Amino acid sequence: MKKILTTISSHKIKFSFGILIIALLVFLSWPISTPVFDKSYSTVLFDKKDELLGVKLAEDEIWRFPVTDSIPKRFETALLTYEDAYFYQHPGINPVAIFKALVENIQEGRVVRGGSTLSMQLARMADGNQTRTIPQKIKEIGMALRYEWHFSKEELLNLYVSHAPFGSNIEGLSAASWRYFGRKSSELSWGEAATLAVLPNQPSIIYPGRNTQSLERKRNQLLAKLMQEGYFDSTTFRLAKSEKIPQGQYIFPKETQHLLHELQTKNTGKIMKSTLDRHLQERISEMADAYSQNMKTNEIHNAAVLVMDWRTEEVVAYVGNVATGDEHQQDVDIIQARRSPGSLLKPFLYAHAIDKGIISPQQMLPDIPLFYEGFSPKNFDHNYYGAVKADQALARSLNIPFVTLLKDYGYEAFYHELKQMGFYSMQQPPLHYGLSMILGGADISLWEIASMYVKLARSINSNQKSKAEISLLKSDESETAKHPVSAGAAWLTLKAMKDLARPGEETGWEQFGSAQNIAWKTGTSFGFRDAWAVGINQQYTVAVWTGNADGEGRPGLIGVRTAAPLLFQILKLLNGGEEDFPMPVREMKTRDFCVETGYLAGDYCNKKSKYYVNVPPKMLEICPFHQQIFVTNDGDKRVNSNCYPVSRMKSENYLLLPPAQSRYYKKYNTDFKEAPEWLSACLQNRKNPIQMVYPRHSTSILIPMELEGEIGSAIFEAAHQNSEATVFWYLDDQYLGKTKGTHQMEINSNREGKHKLYLADSEGEYLSFTFEVVDNKSS
């Protein structure tokens, strides 16, 4: 019986032990809620060389960097030597340490020594640092054992080091290293590593700037122990002891606060490695701040700069605004704000028009008074030049030639080209912007405009792939996109942009061999609210904006005066070298062009020359303005066979511009030779080839009133003897447009009284017609 009872008791013990083992295994393997720490983290931004650019506080106002993957060996050694020498050997608790701490605390009658391992300290931190009681300690032991079951030693150490308190409002080694020593933790010296290793033990009492003597004593004791255990020699020990304890905290860099705020919306609580260069970021920020001080005399307070490496399509400097003081909205990120770009879109229309064979770089564009559907643009200098070559119109940023070009190109087509290039700010349909989009009628951000100029520069090399999006973060991966224009069109556009006259002391730059080859463009918005300048050298694209963040306009706030000088200061810093933009020879060819008009040379052009052009999808137009005419023997009068003997006539080639263009063109081109007047006998026998169809007999015209109460329009019609002739229409010296084949023109005028309608063809024939608009209400 006794043997039976002993056997039963043994089975009970085994059973109970088995139950205990099973319970323990269930307890240890029971899932742990993740993440272990339900805390927010700082948003951290580094440059391309791992230099710190900026940090945002976590939501609980703590400097707490996100958990990293590794811990510097020097700090790990110092920490484990000080806190838990057997960390890699124990299962989460150290019975020997707990026993020693218990004995010593009983002998002293108070808590003088703790026996917690790093795993137990981790459990305590994860539980909110509760009051130290025996039940709480038992709970921490249990949690430490569970953590050891679920995590590797390396993972546990990372969790501890990333969340341990280091004094003040600093948690985690990374934040402490930057905040106290201004460097990343992998660069800490033995003295610095030892200083940080002793902080989590009493973080509220001892840290740099508080109880410095006690902190130094603890550090030196740890250094002595590290030397005794053979981690370094006596010389290193003496040098480490001689290092000064920091008396305060480093201030995190603020040069990228606007960018950091922009990135934080999508990357809150993350560590980001950017493409920025900290050295250039700081230097350009200083330049922009200093430059803005000079603008304050004209009540211009804000400026922004964006620098991109167009070869790699990466952002290297991002200055969202200058330091102005809160009263001038220094926190506004101008780079992301939508503003009127003025003339900055002209190079893209120029490039696309060349790419499609609509114009050549030297082709004449009309520059005469223009009125189109209520839109009457003016050049910045309020002058008209009759006809200007396209590349010169771009270099001089003339408005009227580009409005005319956009009309011929089609604003709907250009709208879609811009959208494909990355101009996402245009949310309205094309009709909303119309022809005004080429003069700043569609708002755009500095980010978008700089990105578009980067793509223009990269288009020179058609074999080079282009990213769909400009890189700002090193981890960014974007799809490839086609170049917006051909290599030839891009090269010709940058060539024209190099001819702009530079501001201030840059005047005459082309005379110096050391001068950079820079293609650049400026823009000024309506009302002098925004001044822009964009420049491209052999490596960088720089975009500058100056103005007031609140939109207040100021006299003299003009791109070439306020934005361009800062642009060239920055380009001097970013020396791109003296080399020119490489010509894509394989994608270009030479053609014979008329020197005076820039059209393909015809039989009657006086001067011809070979120019490089890209290979457009359709042929360029042969010069329509050079024609052969007949004159008297002395060349004084123009004649034909109806009024002058053929044997005495001689032929000459003339540039016959439309009358309105000729009127302004001759004022600025003294070498322009107009065709001779007609011989009086020829005028008597000559019948005007242009006749009015409507109105014909009445000179009093009623412009009808629409149902909505707005002034309507009337359709005027003319006829020409030559069915292929082009007729140019002018109303009160304002150019209306041209017609071919059927000559009808919509006329609207809400001004009562007499008006002059002027029609002319390319042969110099004209018809002047006067009519009167009567009162709509009286009808």
Side-chain angles (χ1 to χ4, degrees):
M1 177 63 69
K2 185 176 181 180
K3 185 176 181 180
I4 293 173
L5 292 175
T6 302
T7 302
I8 293 174
S9 177
S10 176
H11 282 300
K12 285 184 177 180
I13 292 173
K14 291 180 179 179
F15 179 76
S16 298
F17 184 74
I19 293 297
L20 183 62
I21 293 297
I22 292 173
L24 180 61
L25 290 175
V26 170
F27 171 74
L28 292 176
S29 61
W30 194 261
I32 291 178
S33 59
T34 54
V36 174
F37 290 93
D38 186 17
K39 294 184 177 183
S40 61
Y41 296 94
S42 298
T43 304
V44 187
L45 183 65
F46 289 94
D47 80 344
K48 61 184 179 182
K49 298 179 181 178
D50 290 324
E51 293 290 330
L52 187 65
L53 290 174
V55 184
K56 286 279 188 180
L57 277 167
E59 294 177 0
D60 55 0
E61 302 296 314
I62 299 293
W63 297 113
R64 184 189 302 112
F65 285 24
V67 180
T68 56
D69 295 331
S70 61
I71 302 170
K73 192 64 180 177
R74 188 171 290 175
F75 176 79
E76 179 182 339
T77 300
L79 177 67
L80 296 183
T81 301
Y82 187 77
E83 290 282 1
D84 193 349
Y86 297 97
F87 174 74
Y88 284 103
Q89 286 76 43
H90 63 65
I93 60 174
N94 187 340
V96 176
I98 292 177
F99 178 77
K100 288 182 178 180
L102 181 63
V103 171
E104 191 170 337
N105 291 339
I106 292 174
Q107 291 175 347
E108 295 292 331
R110 59 189 178 92
V111 178
V112 295
R113 177 175 178 175
S116 296
T117 63
L118 286 183
S119 302
M120 293 171 63
Q121 293 181 43
L122 178 64
R124 184 168 186 269
M125 289 190 299
D127 199 33
N129 291 309
Q130 302 296 326
T131 303
R132 294 183 179 182
T133 62
I134 292 178
Q136 180 64 28
K137 182 64 69 175
I138 294 174
K139 180 181 179 182
E140 291 170 6
I141 290 174
M143 291 304 298
L145 292 173
R146 291 184 66 197
Y147 285 160
E148 292 277 351
W149 180 274
H150 286 275
F151 299 105
S152 68
K153 287 290 186 179
E154 290 75 14
E155 290 173 328
L156 289 174
L157 191 58
N158 267 334
L159 282 171
Y160 175 83
V161 170
S162 298
H163 296 86
F166 284 82
S168 187
N169 64 335
I170 302 171
E171 290 185 7
L173 172 64
S174 296
S177 180
W178 282 106
R179 200 67 176 165
Y180 290 132
F181 297 106
R183 63 176 64 91
K184 52 189 175 184
S185 57
S186 61
E187 297 177 349
L188 293 173
S189 66
W190 274 112
E192 293 166 343
T195 300
L196 294 181
V198 304
L199 293 184
N201 188 261
Q202 292 180 300
S204 61
I205 299 175
I206 299 174
Y207 56 85
R210 183 172 184 179
N211 292 326
T212 303
Q213 291 182 348
S214 297
L215 174 58
E216 186 174 10
R217 183 177 65 255
K218 283 191 171 189
R219 181 201 66 177
N220 292 344
Q221 290 172 351
L222 175 56
L223 289 171
K225 189 174 182 180
L226 289 168
M227 181 187 66
Q228 292 169 5
E229 294 185 7
Y231 289 108
F232 47 74
D233 56 24
S234 58
T235 302
T236 302
F237 172 66
R238 288 194 300 272
L239 292 173
K241 279 183 62 178
S242 66
E243 294 180 16
K244 299 293 183 182
I245 299 293
Q247 296 302 304
Q249 300 179 20
Y250 277 80
I251 303 299
F252 287 131
K254 295 183 178 181
E255 287 83 2
T256 56
Q257 57 180 336
H258 300 94
L259 173 60
L260 191 57
H261 179 77
E262 174 69 19
L263 293 174
Q264 191 179 28
T265 59
K266 297 180 180 178
N267 301 275
T268 302
K270 293 182 179 180
I271 294 177
M272 296 169 287
K273 184 174 181 179
S274 71
T275 62
L276 271 63
D277 183 308
R278 182 183 176 183
H279 169 72
L280 290 178
Q281 177 72 26
E282 292 178 347
R283 186 71 186 93
I284 292 172
S285 294
E286 293 172 357
M287 293 172 67
D289 286 344
Y291 183 79
S292 68
Q293 295 299 317
N294 297 327
M295 295 194 298
K296 287 183 177 180
T297 57
N298 191 26
E299 296 297 324
I300 301 171
H301 300 285
N302 302 103
V305 181
L306 185 61
V307 181
M308 298 179 176
D309 187 329
W310 63 261
R311 300 179 307 178
T312 61
E313 294 181 280
E314 295 178 346
V315 180
V316 297
Y318 186 111
V319 182
N321 206 337
V322 292
T324 62
D326 293 337
E327 68 275 14
H328 296 299
Q329 302 185 13
Q330 67 176 6
D331 293 331
V332 175
D333 186 355
I334 301 297
I335 289 177
Q336 300 299 329
R338 295 178 180 179
R339 303 273 179 167
S340 170
S343 299
L344 289 181
L345 299 184
K346 289 176 181 175
F348 302 102
L349 176 59
Y350 180 87
H352 282 292
I354 288 177
D355 203 22
K356 290 179 170 55
I358 295 175
I359 61 170
S360 73
Q362 291 80 25
Q363 184 170 316
M364 277 185 170
L365 299 176
D367 185 20
I368 55 179
L370 176 63
F371 183 85
Y372 181 75
E373 295 183 352
F375 180 49
S376 183
K378 300 289 189 297
N379 290 326
F380 187 81
D381 59 6
H382 294 281
N383 289 325
Y384 303 100
Y385 298 94
V388 182
K389 292 185 177 181
D391 57 353
Q392 290 302 306
L394 178 60
R396 295 161 60 184
S397 196
L398 297 176
N399 292 334
I400 294 175
F402 275 91
V403 171
T404 305
L405 179 59
L406 180 58
K407 182 175 178 293
D408 293 339
Y409 188 91
Y411 62 80
E412 298 93 345
F414 187 55
Y415 171 91
H416 292 295
E417 300 282 8
L418 292 175
K419 296 283 278 189
Q420 290 180 3
M421 291 183 69
F423 190 0
Y424 305 122
S425 293
M426 289 193 300
Q427 301 298 321
Q428 302 297 327
L431 184 60
H432 175 80
Y433 306 104
L435 297 177
S436 69
M437 74 172 71
I438 198 63
L439 303 183
D443 289 348
I444 189 171
S445 67
L446 194 67
W447 175 271
E448 289 172 310
I449 201 67
S451 300
M452 290 168 66
Y453 275 90
V454 165
K455 293 177 182 179
L456 179 64
R458 286 183 64 84
S459 295
I460 296 178
N461 188 346
S462 59
N463 296 322
Q464 190 177 42
K465 291 184 178 180
S466 183
K467 297 177 183 177
E469 300 290 341
I470 302 300
S471 297
L472 184 55
L473 299 179
K474 276 295 185 181
S475 58
D476 277 357
E477 293 183 3
S478 58
E479 298 179 356
T480 57
K482 293 181 179 180
H483 293 294
V485 293
S486 67
W491 184 83
L492 290 169
T493 301
L494 294 180
K495 182 175 182 294
M497 290 171 60
K498 286 170 52 183
D499 292 336
L500 271 73
R502 301 192 182 187
E505 63 181 16
E506 293 291 333
T507 302
W509 63 272
E510 66 279 0
Q511 299 177 12
F512 301 95
S514 61
Q516 296 186 56
N517 278 291
I518 298 171
W520 65 293
K521 186 73 184 73
T522 60
T524 304
S525 68
F526 178 78
F528 304 105
R529 294 183 176 90
D530 308 275
W532 310 71
V534 181
I536 305 171
N537 65 15
Q538 290 300 306
Q539 181 174 357
Y540 297 102
T541 295
V542 181
V544 174
W545 176 92
T546 55
N548 290 308
D550 60 5
E552 179 188 0
R554 295 299 303 168
L557 183 58
I558 301 170
V560 73
R561 295 183 188 174
T562 62
L566 178 57
L567 170 72
F568 280 96
Q569 287 183 25
I570 295 171
L571 285 170
K572 283 182 179 179
L573 176 67
L574 305 169
N575 193 343
E578 302 176 28
E579 295 181 2
D580 203 349
F581 298 103
M583 178 191 292
V585 178
R586 293 184 178 181
E587 300 191 32
M588 303 186 73
K589 62 181 178 181
T590 58
R591 298 290 300 275
D592 288 326
F593 282 89
C594 179
V595 173
E596 290 180 280
T597 66
Y599 284 84
L600 289 177
D603 294 335
Y604 306 125
C605 289
N606 295 321
K607 296 180 182 179
K608 302 177 184 180
S609 182
K610 290 187 180 294
Y611 298 145
Y612 273 104
V613 291
N614 65 317
V615 183
K618 68 176 184 178
M619 297 298 293
L620 293 166
E621 187 178 353
I622 294 177
C623 180
F625 299 123
H626 276 99
Q627 297 181 24
Q628 185 182 68
I629 66 171
F630 295 96
V631 295
T632 57
N633 191 41
D634 58 4
D636 188 50
K637 297 293 182 180
R638 187 175 179 181
V639 296
N640 58 36
S641 60
N642 295 326
C643 61
Y644 196 79
V646 175
S647 59
R648 298 180 58 191
M649 288 191 301
K650 67 177 183 178
S651 62
E652 292 186 0
N653 299 332
Y654 274 87
L655 173 60
L656 299 178
L657 293 175
Q661 292 186 33
S662 178
R663 172 186 172 187
Y664 293 101
Y665 185 78
K666 64 185 179 182
K667 292 171 58 178
Y668 298 96
N669 296 270
T670 56
D671 57 344
F672 172 59
K673 183 180 179 182
E674 288 189 283
E677 294 182 359
W678 284 93
L679 188 66
S680 57
C682 297
L683 289 174
Q684 294 175 2
N685 299 323
R686 180 175 164 272
K687 184 178 180 180
N688 195 329
I690 308 175
Q691 290 184 347
M692 290 300 302
V693 176
Y694 176 84
R696 191 164 186 175
H697 301 294
S698 173
T699 57
S700 295
I701 303 299
L702 170 66
I703 303 296
M705 185 78 71
E706 301 291 352
L707 293 176
E708 295 81 1
E710 298 180 353
I711 299 297
S713 60
I715 304 298
F716 282 31
E717 184 175 358
H720 197 287
Q721 281 184 345
N722 183 357
S723 61
E724 298 296 323
T726 299
V727 175
F728 301 87
W729 296 66
Y730 303 86
L731 178 64
D732 299 329
D733 285 336
Q734 297 286 320
Y735 177 65
L736 299 180
K738 61 184 178 181
T739 57
K740 189 173 183 179
T742 301
H743 303 288
Q744 292 182 337
M745 182 62 65
E746 184 179 13
I747 305 293
N748 54 3
S749 177
N750 58 359
R751 184 164 56 87
E752 295 180 48
K754 293 184 177 180
H755 297 274
K756 183 178 180 181
L757 187 67
Y758 184 87
L759 288 75
D761 65 11
S762 56
E763 298 285 341
E765 305 289 352
Y766 66 89
L767 173 66
S768 181
F769 178 77
T770 302
F771 66 95
E772 183 178 8
V773 174
V774 298
D775 188 358
N776 290 277
K777 298 178 182 179
S778 63
S779 60

